[in-house]
Amino acid sequence: MAPHDLRRPFKRPAISDQQRRREIALRRQNQQRSDSQNRARRLASSVVSLQPEPQPESEPDIELE
Amino acid sequence: IAGIEVPHKQWPELVGSLLSSIHQQQPHVKQASLETLGYLCEEVPPQALDQDQVNKILTAVVQGMSASEGNVDVRLAATRALYNALGFVQANFSNDMERDYIMRVVCEATLSPELKIRQAAYECLVSVSSMYYEKLASYMPDIFNITAKAVREDEEPVALQAIEFWSSICDEEIDILDDYGGEFTADSEIPCHYFIKQALPALVPMLLETLLKQEEDQDQDEGAWNLAMAGGTCLGLVARTVGDDIVPLVMPFIEENIAKPDWRQREAATYAFGSILEGPSPDKLAPIVNVALNFMLTALMKDPNNHVKDTTAWTLGRIFEFLHGSTVESTVITNENCQQILTVLLQSMKDVPNVAEKACGALYFLAQGYEDVGSASPLSPFFQDIIQALLTVTHREDAGESRLRTAAYETLNEVVRCSTEETAPMVMQLVPVIMMELHKTLEAQKLSSDEREKQSEVQGLLCGCLQVIIQKLGSTETTKHVFLQYADQMMDLFLRVFACRNATVHEEAMLAIGALAYATGANFAKYMQGFYPYLEMGLQNFEEYQVCAITVGVVGDLCRALEDKILPFCDGIMTQLLKDLSSTQMHRSVKPPIFSCFGDIALAIGENFEKYLAYAMPMLQSAAELSAHAAASDVDMIEYTNQLRNGILEAYSGIFQGFKNSPKTQLLMSYAPHILQFLDSLYTVKDMDDVVTKTAIGVLGDLADTLGSNAGTLIQQSVSCKEFLEECLSSDDHLIKESADWARLAVSRALSG
């Protein structure tokens, strides 16, 4: 039950640069994950729009990218 | 022992026997019993004691605190016990009479002749201010009077607590104002009482007086905390709470003191100015700053006192932070004064370490203000000089003092991050320079433990700097191409850095490698053999969970860079990730990114993920059930639950997309009912955030796209493909709408097939 430390940050920025580096890396990773997902979906959507009728199973899928 | 047993109801007679000891006559037994009750309240959660026990403890503690208690040690033990018991007395604080009584006893104890009792009583007041803010209105006039007297007349430990009371009230009001965006309605949970606004005319002069009570050389002492520091910090919080209203109350003090012969007056005036720069509107501050800027620049160069120069450089940094940048309309930095500012800051970096550190900090925010400047930055003509000056600072003999070296590298990072195309060649020249610095730290041998600590710190800073450079140069094709000539050497250095056992350095090197993998792409495969042991080591780092979390993110980077070339390493990676998920030691914040990482791996290796399905899917399934029905007890829990849901959904998306067009798609069929049920339950509970909504509706699309007509009936039976999808299609959030468009297309295809 010692007196608790009441020091507050003094003349220091709210977020350290190290914290910023972590956050920027995380943002980049999230963005790239979402880009990969969207790429996969766009590819699928293009195939769908180019192939309104289901293709016979023997015919290979068209690779667009 | 009670801390372990009482929550399990295993020592029911304890509280009763302690209470009966308190009623004994011997003071030392009373004191020891109160201390034990205090420790008990500190250790056990509030729900571990029933209200009857709480009432009895409170009665005994408050009696022990009252002025009628003749023994000082008993009174102190009781006051400290109350501090710990405050979290238990919600019900008593809701009762007006009981609350009045507790508050009266606490306020009386702040006037005790014993310093330690006064200090402990103020600690209780500080704690009450954050726990029971909404109940304080009727006590505020009295509290103002006693705190003002303590700040002006009492000894420092008590005066500091009295200031802390007002800082804590500011924290509460800032939070409330943030939560409701300044708009209060009758149904707002906690109304703002505007205590600070009401106290302002008396509070501000009281705080300004404290600014004149600086200690000599406080800027060189990392552990310093005194009245002037606490007062200025509180003034800054007051400015954030009330905004423009503080400016006319502080300006006369600044004008009166800023040019006085006594350094204390000049420093106090400057500190007051710096403290109020966050909160008031830029419109209100810009005219004042425009007048003050030249004065500040001259003071930074010419003031004979280091303390004044330190605070002046800090104030300049605050000016650049809050009144400069593309989002600030009334910016105070023009192309004309920019050169003068830079000249002064670069000169100031040669000053004593604490002043030079603040000058670096000011340059950090000056550069940050030009982050979105486009192709031509006003800093570009001085880029070479800035880099040179910062590198020179890092080589100073005294760069270890006052965080100077760290500040210089961090500023270098921000200057690089905010640089434009026109200075890209100079950033490129920096690559071999920083690599050479890192190389030098690795060559040093037979170091003492102090030297090794310093070496680790420098290595962390250099890896951080390389990470920023890699990201900058890797972001455009032309610079990336040139930059990649250094990749082999750089990777070699990073691997050597891993040999030094230090968590921060590992984290920094790992982040840099993630950025490098993204820039290198499939060619990163050649480094994998050498890098893999360290990757696995990072994934095993339970103690320093930040390192583990960063490493999990890097696995994602590797998946996107290497695609199916990551396959040979997946058994090891998946084993470790599954272990991390099953571990009770692992910090919970690492679990959502691990789920997302499953998605990254599945997307990279496609149907080869088959062998992990039997392990990953049950884990996802049980986490999904837990997260769908998580009782959202507080804001943190709600946020965590949403992160967990997002991770699980990203895993499902990656797995479905990975298996797309594979002959093994049918393997996923048995998991589809549960996944659709998870989506339905998320929709029904309606407490997910926009990110989860976007990911969830995307999973519906991915499931339909991959399983096609085989899952048609299942999809049709779900709520997700109807109401949930409709709601997302009409969302204002374009990301949700985009995912929903995809889901609609895939669902309609699955249903029509």
Side-chain angles (χ1 to χ4, degrees):
Chain A
M1 293 196 296
H4 69 291
D5 189 4
L6 48 74
R7 266 177 298 187
R8 288 170 176 261
F10 175 68
K11 293 190 192 172
R12 287 267 174 274
I15 302 176
S16 72
D17 194 68
Q18 190 190 21
Q19 188 58 27
R20 273 198 80 196
R21 287 197 294 278
R22 280 180 191 150
E23 285 170 10
I24 290 171
L26 207 62
R27 271 208 302 276
R28 174 181 63 75
Q29 287 162 345
N30 284 339
Q31 184 57 48
Q32 281 154 14
R33 176 177 297 124
S34 155
D35 289 349
S36 300
Q37 280 290 344
N38 286 339
R39 238 191 332 273
R41 288 174 186 168
R42 259 203 309 278
L43 184 64
S45 308
S46 324
V47 174
V48 173
S49 60
L50 280 181
Q51 296 174 301
E53 298 297 322
Q55 297 297 303
E57 278 195 19
S58 57
E59 209 167 292
D61 275 338
I62 300 167
E63 287 286 331
L64 286 180
E65 283 188 8
Chain B
I1 294 168
I4 298 164
E5 296 200 345
V6 171
H8 294 96
K9 306 281 177 205
Q10 283 178 343
W11 198 355
E13 70 279 18
L14 172 69
V15 172
S17 61
L18 285 170
L19 287 169
S20 64
S21 310
I22 290 173
H23 296 120
Q24 289 191 12
Q25 288 308 307
Q26 303 99 310
H28 64 280
V29 180
K30 265 189 182 181
Q31 181 193 341
S33 306
L34 282 163
E35 278 173 359
T36 310
L37 278 176
Y39 286 127
L40 180 67
C41 293
E42 195 174 18
E43 287 297 319
V44 305
Q47 61 273 19
L49 299 177
D50 59 43
Q51 187 59 42
D52 183 50
Q53 284 178 312
V54 170
N55 290 343
K56 285 177 180 157
I57 293 174
L58 186 62
T59 306
V61 165
V62 171
Q63 262 173 17
M65 277 179 77
S66 69
S68 60
E69 172 57 58
N71 185 292
V72 169
D73 293 329
V74 171
R75 216 177 158 199
L76 178 61
T79 312
R80 287 181 176 167
L82 179 69
Y83 175 81
N84 290 313
L86 282 169
F88 293 75
V89 297
Q90 296 261 343
N92 313 83
F93 253 82
S94 299
N95 178 309
D96 292 352
M97 266 175 52
E98 288 188 52
R99 186 179 63 245
D100 283 350
Y101 185 60
I102 301 167
M103 289 301 288
R104 204 184 75 215
V105 172
V106 173
C107 289
E108 276 173 10
T110 66
L111 305 171
S112 157
E114 289 299 317
L115 180 138
K116 283 196 170 152
I117 294 176
R118 295 199 302 277
Q119 186 182 356
Y122 271 112
E123 282 184 41
C124 290
L125 266 190
V126 171
S127 192
V128 166
S129 70
S130 62
M131 276 189 229
Y132 301 106
Y133 167 86
E134 69 278 14
K135 309 262 188 228
L136 283 180
S138 59
Y139 314 108
M140 287 309 270
D142 286 343
I143 295 179
F144 181 81
N145 289 333
I146 57 173
T147 50
K149 196 167 155 52
V151 170
R152 292 194 166 108
E153 296 169 18
D154 212 327
E155 293 180 60
E156 193 170 62
V158 181
L160 287 174
Q161 291 290 352
I163 293 176
E164 180 61 19
F165 171 82
W166 290 99
S167 291
S168 171
I169 294 285
C170 289
D171 287 342
E172 293 306 310
E173 296 197 344
I174 289 167
D175 278 354
I176 297 171
L177 294 163
D178 272 357
D179 279 355
Y180 298 110
E183 299 282 326
F184 297 101
T185 57
D187 52 338
S188 291
E189 209 175 322
I190 302 174
C192 185
H193 288 296
Y194 296 102
F195 293 138
I196 299 295
K197 197 179 165 90
Q198 289 170 51
L200 210 56
L203 183 61
V204 171
M206 173 184 91
L207 294 172
L208 291 172
E209 276 177 44
T210 67
L211 301 189
L212 292 156
K213 297 180 178 168
Q214 310 95 324
E215 280 170 36
E216 301 273 352
D217 300 331
Q218 68 181 41
D219 289 318
Q220 278 95 51
D221 178 4
E222 287 263 325
W225 185 248
N226 58 42
L227 217 54
M229 295 163 101
T233 305
C234 187
L235 189 67
L237 290 167
V238 171
R240 286 175 54 197
T241 313
V242 302
D244 287 359
D245 291 351
I246 200 165
V247 178
L249 294 169
V250 175
M251 282 316 293
F253 178 85
I254 299 172
E255 284 159 0
E256 193 192 323
N257 291 290
I258 195 94
K260 281 280 160 66
D262 180 358
W263 72 266
R264 287 176 188 279
Q265 287 173 284
R266 298 197 304 280
E267 197 277 338
T270 315
Y271 189 27
F273 188 40
S275 296
I276 62 163
L277 289 169
E278 184 184 11
S281 62
D283 284 349
K284 181 89 179 174
L285 291 171
I288 303 165
V289 171
N290 279 326
V291 174
L293 193 59
N294 258 326
F295 185 94
M296 294 278 148
L297 293 171
T298 310
L300 184 53
M301 285 288 87
K302 304 213 165 120
D303 198 288
N305 182 279
N306 282 339
H307 198 147
V308 175
K309 284 199 278 192
D310 182 300
T311 303
T312 305
W314 171 77
T315 300
L316 282 166
R318 301 259 297 174
I319 291 173
F320 307 148
E321 186 177 1
F322 300 112
L323 293 157
H324 157 60
S326 60
T327 54
V328 184
E329 272 180 34
S330 29
T331 181
V332 294
I333 311 299
T334 60
N335 284 354
E336 290 71 48
N337 63 21
C338 183
Q339 182 174 2
Q340 186 200 358
I341 291 166
L342 271 173
T343 309
V344 172
L345 291 182
L346 298 194
Q347 184 62 31
S348 202
M349 283 181 207
K350 298 174 189 157
D351 211 318
V352 290
N354 62 300
V355 176
E357 184 236 346
K358 301 295 188 304
C360 289
L363 180 55
Y364 187 104
F365 289 112
L366 184 69
Q368 192 171 83
Y370 293 120
E371 198 173 11
D372 307 311
V373 76
S375 57
S377 165
L379 292 189
S380 295
F382 315 102
F383 199 82
Q384 194 70 48
D385 293 340
I386 293 170
I387 300 284
Q388 198 46 57
L390 288 167
L391 289 173
T392 306
V393 171
T394 66
H395 292 134
R396 279 173 57 155
E397 283 285 318
D398 54 5
E401 292 171 34
S402 299
R403 272 184 88 254
L404 178 57
R405 185 180 291 108
T406 305
Y409 276 120
E410 290 186 341
T411 303
L412 187 60
N413 291 347
E414 192 61 8
V415 169
V416 169
R417 273 195 285 257
C418 302
S419 63
T420 59
E421 261 172 66
E422 51 193 352
T423 45
M426 286 179 256
V427 177
M428 193 71 76
Q429 286 167 13
L430 201 53
V431 179
V433 175
I434 302 294
M435 279 171 48
M436 181 49 79
E437 294 286 333
L438 187 54
H439 175 78
K440 274 195 270 178
T441 69
L442 292 162
E443 292 298 295
Q445 282 174 354
K446 289 186 184 164
L447 299 174
S448 67
S449 68
D450 275 1
E451 286 167 331
R452 216 178 5 253
E453 199 180 313
K454 184 189 150 195
Q455 181 204 39
S456 293
E457 194 196 322
V458 176
Q459 283 171 347
L461 292 168
L462 290 165
C463 288
C465 188
L466 284 172
Q467 183 211 341
V468 173
I469 295 174
I470 294 166
Q471 216 159 321
K472 187 76 194 179
L473 296 176
S475 65
T476 61
E477 282 305 315
T478 41
T479 49
K480 182 164 87 177
H481 181 71
V482 185
F483 159 77
L484 284 176
Q485 64 178 315
Y486 295 111
D488 286 359
Q489 282 170 282
M490 203 177 280
M491 199 58 203
D492 183 52
L493 286 170
F494 290 145
L495 294 184
R496 289 175 64 195
V497 164
F498 280 122
C500 314
R501 308 200 164 270
N502 177 295
T504 312
V505 182
H506 279 205
E507 188 186 327
E508 295 289 2
M510 200 52 91
L511 280 170
I513 287 176
L516 186 63
Y518 173 67
T520 317
N523 285 334
F524 194 86
K526 62 178 171 175
Y527 307 124
M528 277 306 286
Q529 212 63 44
F531 173 51
Y532 181 75
Y534 301 110
L535 187 77
E536 199 171 79
M537 215 162 85
L539 295 177
Q540 286 166 346
N541 198 337
F542 286 67
E543 288 83 24
E544 286 113 2
Y545 70 91
Q546 285 280 14
V547 177
C548 185
I550 297 291
T551 313
V552 171
V554 170
V555 172
D557 284 327
L558 294 173
C559 290
R560 286 179 287 275
L562 300 175
E563 299 189 323
D564 60 352
K565 289 199 184 84
I566 197 163
L567 191 58
F569 305 96
C570 281
D571 280 358
I573 292 172
M574 279 301 291
T575 306
Q576 205 46 58
L577 292 178
L578 290 164
K579 267 192 204 166
D580 289 346
L581 280 178
S582 322
S583 162
T584 47
Q585 276 175 280
M586 180 53 80
H587 195 276
R588 70 173 193 182
S589 67
V590 191
K591 297 191 175 179
I594 291 181
F595 286 130
S596 305
C597 190
F598 282 174
D600 298 337
I601 294 172
L603 199 57
I605 64 173
E607 62 182 25
N608 292 303
F609 197 81
E610 177 190 352
K611 60 175 165 176
Y612 310 123
L613 282 178
Y615 307 97
M617 284 305 205
M619 287 226 178
L620 284 163
Q621 197 161 326
S622 58
E625 268 162 34
L626 231 124
S627 84
H629 305 108
S633 48
D634 57 65
V635 184
D636 287 347
M637 194 58 199
I638 296 171
E639 198 187 331
Y640 178 70
T641 304
N642 277 317
Q643 284 169 353
L644 197 62
R645 291 167 176 171
N646 195 53
I648 296 163
L649 292 164
E650 285 185 333
Y652 286 143
S653 263
I655 293 169
F656 279 122
Q657 286 294 345
F659 274 77
K660 165 93 174 146
N661 295 331
S662 140
K664 295 176 182 170
T665 307
Q666 281 311 305
L667 290 172
L668 300 180
M669 206 49 212
S670 61
Y671 305 109
H674 179 267
I675 294 169
L676 286 166
Q677 210 181 331
F678 177 45
L679 299 179
D680 285 357
S681 65
L682 286 178
Y683 175 69
T684 316
V685 178
K686 289 202 185 306
D687 61 350
M688 58 183 156
D689 61 21
D690 285 353
V691 179
V692 176
T693 308
K694 177 215 138 204
T695 322
I697 207 65
V699 168
L700 176 69
D702 297 330
L703 182 148
D705 181 40
T706 298
L707 300 181
S709 57
N710 295 330
T713 318
L714 272 176
I715 294 171
Q716 205 150 26
Q717 287 164 353
S718 70
V719 188
S720 299
C721 80
K722 302 182 195 82
E723 287 97 326
F724 186 18
L725 182 57
E726 284 306 320
E727 225 169 83
C728 292
L729 284 167
S730 52
S731 169
D732 295 335
D733 184 319
H734 85 276
L735 291 173
I736 295 178
K737 175 89 171 53
E738 189 183 43
S739 281
D741 283 337
W742 153 248
R744 178 173 57 181
L745 185 76
V747 165
S748 71
R749 194 187 182 205
L751 296 185
S752 67

